[in-house]
Amino acid sequence: IWFSSVQTSQSLCSFDVNLKCQFCLMFSQIWQAALNTLNPNPTDSCPLYLNHATVAALPSRVSRHNSPSSAHFVSRLVRSCLPGGNNRCIIMVCERSDVFASSCAIARAFPIFSRRSSSSRRTEKKHVTVEFVILGQDSSSLDCLSNAADGVRLAARIVDTPCNEMNTDHFLDEIKAVGTELGITPVIIRGEELNKRGFGGIHGVGKAAEHPPALAVLSHTPDGATQTIAWVGKGIVYDTGGLSIKGKTTMPGMKRDCGGAAAILGAFKATIKQGFKDNLHAVFCLAENAVGPTATRPDDIHTLYSGKTVEINNTDAEGRLVLADGVVYASKDLSADIILDMATLTGAQGISTGKYHAAVMTNSEQWEVACVHAGRSSGDLAHPLVYCPELHFSEFTSAIADMKNSVADRENAQSSCAGLFIGSHLGFDWPGVWVHVDIASPVHAGERATGFGVALLMALFGQASDDSMLNQVSPLGAATNTSEDQMERDCKRRRLV
């Protein structure tokens, strides 16, 4: 996908001249007639010239829990309206504040992974050129858009790839490839070494699989850094449920259980390429939750990296076990001030916050608000979960260990409780910032991965970037007030795709 931009400080009507240059066969009266037919509710489109071109309008209004960019509608329109052919062009008319979210939304419409026999025989590559016509003055970084799009598509490709091609060995190869591109050598702890060093969560979940589990870390440590940030990703390359095995209708699609780790890898690659001023560690907790003679049994007790003991009452609640090891490693070994874990953690997330909004829980009210605003500015929407450990953590009470790994009452805030399990291993009095992001539902749309999480992370931590566009979409730091003013606008000028 190639990105370019055009500046204009005038209203939409001045866009006519630019569009005529792109579509030289289009007469002005036909163009105006097409515009007059558009009545978005929430979107509308009009085919032109035997479907060789399509003009579409995005919603003129969005609710306060949606992104002003209408990112989800952009992806849908591109997938449904883009004409065929090997060389295609998308022209997006929007304001500067919507460019980042719109570019990531367009990238989601072009997944990479395919094993269709027809695609392997195709010799000519397809090219898509994306041009932004930006209302107002602009100094957008096209590198930022390209790197973000690459990160989104990398994450989506990993999530789309089945476990026979994306086991823990192959995921480590993806991590090494990103490390090589960025000049970073990953730290990898694997197999029995995990057990010897006390990572009872990761080792216990993945020990029955053919390909051993691993903890992998990519570290960016620039001179002059003032704080240390760690992103911890759940990388369950396949989840059978273990001995608490899933049924035939709920197991298909579990290749997506590595969505958190995939998003962190894509975001890390894109973020470092744009210049990141603070220490940033990407921690990947990789395992296949398989069934075998050495699989963890319900009633087994594991000692996690925190030193706390966990009685297993559900082997299908495995993500929290690997993440508990990961966040404690980030605190103890990496001395992180801010720890964010991202995971396809609970099926209940879709019930709690829906299919489009990630569920966010954090020990910091400021960061809770920031996550919501970053979701709106990036198009990767997020909404808070209840954070109340004094009422909910009793769900994990065990008579013989420090805790169980699954709740006693599945009707009591499942997604919140799952996040609290992870936070409990840091300690609820831990002085740093801890953010938990559950992306179980938005990680996919139908049978395709979305690359969800990449744009959210880039926006949330944008103030630590050297890139002006990421500074603008970030809800933290000097740009907070301006960003909030922009986010509160419900009524938007009509935008065209």
Side-chain angles (χ1 to χ4, degrees):
I1 301 180
W2 300 92
F3 289 98
S4 60
S5 67
V6 175
Q7 292 185 185
T8 177
S9 57
Q10 300 180 17
S11 63
L12 273 177
C13 60
S14 66
F15 174 62
D16 290 358
V17 175
N18 294 313
L19 198 64
K20 288 175 190 173
C21 294
Q22 296 291 330
F23 301 106
C24 57
L25 298 177
M26 195 174 293
F27 299 104
S28 61
Q29 61 269 28
I30 297 176
W31 169 247
Q32 193 59 50
L35 291 183
N36 292 337
T37 65
L38 295 176
N39 184 27
N41 186 28
T43 62
D44 196 13
S45 60
C46 177
L48 300 171
Y49 291 99
L50 300 177
N51 290 320
H52 285 295
T54 300
V55 59
L58 292 164
S60 55
R61 294 180 64 87
V62 294
S63 67
R64 63 191 176 92
H65 287 154
N66 199 355
S67 171
S69 66
S70 299
H72 286 85
F73 295 120
V74 172
S75 299
R76 291 181 192 176
L77 282 171
V78 171
R79 281 194 294 263
S80 61
C81 297
L82 191 66
N86 290 330
N87 292 282
R88 294 174 289 180
C89 179
I90 299 171
I91 303 172
M92 182 84 197
V93 186
C94 65
E95 298 175 31
R96 186 176 190 267
S97 58
D98 296 332
V99 171
F100 179 74
S102 298
S103 65
C104 292
I106 292 171
R108 291 188 193 99
F110 298 96
I112 300 174
F113 180 81
S114 177
R115 288 297 178 265
R116 289 183 171 179
S117 56
S118 58
S119 64
S120 63
R121 292 195 298 265
R122 187 184 299 126
T123 56
E124 186 176 357
K125 291 185 177 180
K126 292 186 175 183
H127 296 273
V128 178
T129 301
V130 182
E131 181 172 329
F132 284 91
V133 178
I134 302 166
L135 303 175
Q137 297 300 316
D138 177 62
S139 57
S140 298
S141 166
L142 297 179
D143 286 341
C144 177
L145 301 185
S146 295
N147 288 330
D150 288 344
V152 169
R153 299 179 81 202
L154 169 63
R157 176 176 62 78
I158 291 173
V159 173
D160 272 338
T161 306
C163 188
N164 63 324
E165 297 184 39
M166 190 56 67
N167 54 48
T168 53
D169 292 349
H170 294 128
F171 206 118
L172 286 172
D173 289 341
E174 297 285 350
I175 293 170
K176 292 173 184 175
V178 170
T180 299
E181 188 171 348
L182 299 177
I184 299 172
T185 301
V187 173
I188 299 173
I189 306 169
R190 196 149 197 220
E192 279 303 312
E193 186 183 357
L194 287 168
N195 193 35
K196 292 176 182 177
R197 295 182 58 171
F199 293 94
I202 300 175
H203 180 263
V205 171
K207 63 181 180 176
E210 176 186 1
H211 304 279
L215 178 79
V217 185
L218 290 171
S219 297
H220 169 73
T221 54
D223 294 335
T226 58
Q227 63 182 353
T228 300
I229 300 160
W231 296 342
V232 183
K234 173 187 173 184
I236 303 297
V237 292
Y238 200 80
D239 182 17
T240 65
L243 293 182
S244 305
I245 198 163
K246 296 178 183 289
K248 65 179 182 180
T249 58
T250 53
M251 198 184 300
M254 284 299 104
K255 64 179 182 178
R256 295 192 287 261
D257 217 13
C258 62
I264 284 174
L265 183 61
F268 184 85
K269 177 182 177 181
T271 297
I272 301 308
K273 279 191 168 185
Q274 289 309 116
F276 200 78
K277 294 176 283 190
D278 286 324
N279 296 325
L280 180 61
H281 303 281
V283 182
F284 306 93
C285 306
L286 307 178
E288 179 183 349
N289 191 17
V291 176
T294 61
T296 291
R297 295 166 291 264
D299 293 339
D300 284 358
I301 296 177
H302 293 315
T303 302
L304 272 57
Y305 197 57
S306 62
K308 296 181 179 181
T309 56
V310 179
E311 179 187 0
I312 306 300
N313 61 340
N314 181 2
T315 63
D316 197 20
E318 84 297 331
R320 64 200 67 180
L321 296 170
V322 303
L323 286 175
D325 278 352
V327 297
V328 173
Y329 179 86
S331 174
K332 288 171 60 175
D333 294 62
L334 302 177
S335 302
D337 308 299
I338 301 167
I339 298 175
L340 180 145
D341 71 78
M342 182 171 283
T344 51
L345 199 67
T346 62
Q349 177 273 309
I351 299 170
S352 300
T353 60
K355 294 183 177 180
Y356 306 106
H357 293 70
V360 173
M361 188 168 64
T362 171
N363 61 358
S364 166
E365 185 175 4
Q366 178 191 9
W367 278 78
E368 178 182 283
V369 173
C371 287
V372 172
H373 282 265
R376 297 183 70 193
S377 65
S378 68
D380 280 353
L381 298 170
H383 198 76
L385 288 173
V386 173
Y387 177 78
C388 197
E390 64 271 28
L391 293 181
H392 290 151
F393 191 65
S394 58
E395 291 290 341
F396 297 103
T397 299
S398 169
I400 57 175
D402 292 326
M403 66 191 77
K404 293 183 179 180
N405 76 314
S406 190
V407 293
D409 184 357
R410 295 179 67 84
E411 295 183 0
N412 187 16
Q414 272 197 66
S415 294
S416 292
C417 289
L420 289 177
F421 180 94
I422 300 166
S424 71
H425 289 267
L426 283 172
F428 295 123
D429 57 351
W430 187 64
V433 173
W434 167 66
V435 182
H436 164 66
V437 187
D438 191 339
I439 63 171
S441 287
V443 78
H444 71 104
E447 295 187 0
R448 274 297 194 177
T450 59
F452 188 97
V454 174
L456 177 63
L457 289 171
M458 293 182 72
L460 182 59
F461 293 89
Q463 280 298 314
S465 172
D466 292 329
D467 186 82
S468 61
M469 178 174 290
L470 294 181
N471 289 170
Q472 182 195 28
V473 297
S474 174
L476 298 168
T480 299
N481 293 333
T482 303
S483 178
E484 286 181 356
D485 292 340
Q486 293 170 346
M487 291 293 100
E488 290 304 319
R489 292 179 304 172
D490 283 341
C491 185
K492 301 285 293 180
R493 186 184 292 120
R494 178 182 290 190
R495 285 144 291 139
L496 300 174
V497 181

